[in-house]
């Protein structure tokens, strides 16, 4: 009986890997082992809503329960159009999301975290200086043997529009533009752990000038989200957060040319 169960488990693992390989073309780092498979629960925790007045930039936060910590998180502005995320990061056992509202009407902002009892390591990359009007790239790597479970960005002031928060297996890549009048710094902030984490990009969506859209991506069957983010050619993201068994983003194209956006979810077998 024991040998029969072993054969079945091996067959299922082989099938699962084949399905993942078909859906994800990126090469996966060989850092996981059978002993590192995550066996901790993950659940979504939403904070209290914060009102953002027109022209205001402010932060909302959410705490994980005692004994838990965020594996990832984000923020949801409602409505998400005509707003941009300027900071989204883990702080101790909390997730803090900052959004700038450039619409003519108020919005609500909610920070959203994925909480777990599994310990994680937060790593902050070097600061990247942005002159007014400049766009820059910040990145940070997880320690050897760990993968990104989620991540975000911190900026030194206001007015930095983050057009990309992209987990990339063992690293995180950030793209931001300084929309303010003063020099700003931004830093990538990745959350890492050893385990069976997989990354799944969703369908790439096109945004015409002045158009706002949302996009979502789900974890494969049998997996749950631990974090997520997005790639974009230059859209303003008013929301990027976990919902259900996946990740949702919403953005506005405030430029004069067409832009694209792609949601990303990081998943694990619970």
């Amino acid at each position: 009986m024991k040998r029969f169960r072993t054969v079945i488990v091996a067959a299922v693992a082989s099938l699962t890997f084949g399905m993942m390989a078909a859906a994800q073309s990126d090469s996966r780092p060989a850092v996981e082992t059978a002993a590192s498979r995550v066996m901790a629960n993950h659940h979504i925790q939403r904070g209290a809503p914060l009102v953002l007045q027109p022209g205001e930039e402010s932060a909302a936060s959410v705490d994980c329960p005692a004994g838990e910590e965020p594996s990832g998180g984000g923020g949801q502005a409602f409505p998400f159009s005509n707003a941009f995320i300027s900071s989204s990061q883990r702080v101790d056992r909390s997730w803090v999301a900052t959004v700038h509202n450039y619409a003519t009407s108020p919005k609500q902002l909610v920070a959203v975290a994925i909480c777990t009892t599994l310990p994680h390591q937060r790593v902050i990359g070097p600061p990247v200086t942005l002159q007014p009007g400049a766009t820059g790239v910040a990145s940070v790597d997880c320690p050897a043997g760990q993968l990104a479970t989620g991540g975000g960005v911190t900026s030194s002031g206001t007015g930095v529009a983050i057009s990309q928060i992209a987990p990339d297996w063992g690293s995180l890549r950030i793209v931001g533009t300084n929309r303010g009048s003063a020099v700003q710094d931004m830093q990538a902030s990745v959350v890492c752990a050893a385990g069976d984490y997989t990354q799944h990009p969703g369908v790439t969506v096109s945004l015409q000038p002045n158009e706002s859209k949302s996009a979502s991506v789900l974890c494969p069957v049998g997996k749950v989200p631990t974090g997520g983010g997005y790639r974009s050619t230059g859209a303003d993201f008013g929301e990027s957060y976990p919902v259900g068994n996946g990740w949702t983003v919403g953005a506005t194209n405030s430029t004069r040319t067409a832009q694209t956006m792609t949601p990303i979810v990081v998943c694990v077998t619970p």
Side-chain angles (χ1 to χ4, degrees):
M1 181 62 71
K2 181 175 181 181
R3 181 180 179 184
F4 180 75
R5 287 199 301 267
T6 302
V7 172
I8 293 296
V9 170
V12 172
S14 176
L15 177 61
T16 302
F17 180 81
M19 293 172 62
M20 285 165 42
Q24 173 60 261
S25 60
D26 294 341
S27 298
R28 182 169 184 178
V31 300
E32 63 177 90
T33 65
S36 72
R37 187 173 295 276
V38 176
M39 298 301 292
N41 291 327
H42 293 73
H43 64 92
I44 295 174
Q45 192 87 2
R46 294 176 62 87
L50 173 76
V51 176
L52 281 177
Q53 297 298 332
E56 182 182 10
E57 180 171 318
S58 193
S61 64
V62 58
D63 296 333
C64 286
E68 298 183 11
E69 60 184 63
S71 62
Q76 178 189 12
F78 180 81
F80 66 80
S81 58
N82 299 316
F84 59 76
I85 295 171
S86 62
S87 180
S88 181
Q89 62 174 321
R90 171 180 164 169
V91 180
D92 297 325
R93 64 181 183 91
S94 303
W95 197 272
V96 181
T98 304
V99 169
H100 183 98
N101 177 15
Y102 62 85
T104 57
S105 57
K107 300 180 183 295
Q108 286 194 335
L109 173 62
V110 175
V112 189
I114 300 175
C115 302
T116 178
T117 56
L118 186 74
H120 291 69
Q121 183 174 352
R122 178 192 181 206
V123 183
I124 301 176
V128 173
T129 299
L130 297 174
Q131 300 294 328
T135 297
V137 177
S139 62
V140 61
D141 295 330
C142 288
Q146 297 187 27
L147 295 174
T149 66
V153 58
T154 178
S155 55
S156 61
T158 60
V160 178
I162 305 301
S163 59
Q164 184 165 297
I165 300 176
D168 187 17
W169 299 114
S171 64
L172 181 75
R173 186 175 187 267
I174 302 296
V175 178
T177 300
N178 183 0
R179 302 272 182 84
S181 58
V183 177
Q184 307 281 2
D185 287 338
M186 69 174 182
Q187 293 174 274
S189 176
V190 66
V191 183
C192 309
D196 185 18
Y197 299 98
T198 57
Q199 296 182 13
H200 305 271
V203 175
T204 297
V205 176
S206 296
L207 290 168
Q208 297 304 313
N210 299 316
E211 186 176 25
S212 298
K213 286 183 180 179
S214 63
S216 299
V217 59
L218 296 176
C219 288
V221 175
K223 291 179 176 286
V224 297
T226 67
Y230 52 86
R231 298 189 186 102
S232 173
T233 54
D236 292 343
F237 284 80
E239 62 181 13
S240 174
Y241 68 103
V243 58
N245 199 47
W247 198 268
T248 292
V249 299
T252 298
N253 180 2
S254 62
T255 74
R256 296 181 180 180
T257 59
Q259 304 292 335
T260 63
M261 67 175 180
T262 306
I264 304 169
V265 65
V266 182
C267 309
V268 74
T269 303

